[in-house]
Amino acid sequence: MDNIRSWPGAIQNCAECGGEMRYAGLGEFRCVECGNVQLNDYGRVRAYLEAHPGAMQSEVSRATGVSTNRIRQLLVEERIEISANSNIFLNCEMCGMPIRSGSRCPKCEERYQREMALEKKAERVGSIKSGHMAGDKMNASGEMRFLKK
Ligand SMILES: [Zn+2]
Ligand SMILES: [Zn+2]
């Protein structure tokens, strides 16, 4: 909570007077000059979820103007959590099991980490076979590869 101003969604300056915005809690920022209150993405999503505890992700997105990707990101970062009495709001991206935050259930997270490790190994072996590798992590042209999954 201390590094709130470094959050991607932190509001630095007042939209009304340009004054300094101070974090007031729960995604709310208050201007030290004029008292104007602004909510960041997190604040808007949180406020909506408080009023509509069982809301679906798409509904929250429509109502708050915050993209579902961003909402998902907030969940993954565990800034918001699905309330206990909520309908299913988030699913494990691998097995679809309902989860309350993050992107994978603990079981799949473990499997995912294991598969990523295997995939990295396979990638290295494959590259050596196709003659691209000089025994390092880079190929002949020095190009880095990013695994996207
Ligand atoms: Zn202001
Ligand atoms: Zn799962």
Side-chain angles (χ1 to χ4, degrees), residues 92 95 105 108:
C92 167
C95 74
C105 71
C108 290

Side-chain angles (χ1 to χ4, degrees), residues 41-42 45-46 49 56-58 60-61 64-82 88-105 108-109 149:
D41 292 351
Y42 164 66
V45 170
R46 190 180 171 102
L49 281 175
M56 298 299 289
Q57 202 165 327
S58 55
V60 176
S61 173
T64 59
V66 179
S67 72
T68 51
N69 279 345
R70 178 77 182 124
I71 292 171
R72 196 176 175 90
Q73 195 188 343
L74 288 168
L75 286 162
V76 169
E77 289 167 6
E78 302 187 6
R79 296 224 197 107
I80 52 176
E81 198 180 60
I82 298 153
I88 298 164
F89 187 81
L90 191 67
N91 300 96
C92 167
E93 68 181 27
M94 291 175 78
C95 74
M97 197 176 98
I99 50 176
R100 293 183 63 200
S101 66
S103 56
R104 283 173 287 273
C105 71
C108 290
E109 180 62 37
K149 203 180 166 188

Side-chain angles (χ1 to χ4, degrees), residues 13-21 31-36:
N13 295 101
C14 174
E16 298 291 325
C17 73
E20 190 195 333
M21 297 300 275
C31 175
V32 294
E33 304 292 334
C34 73
N36 174 41

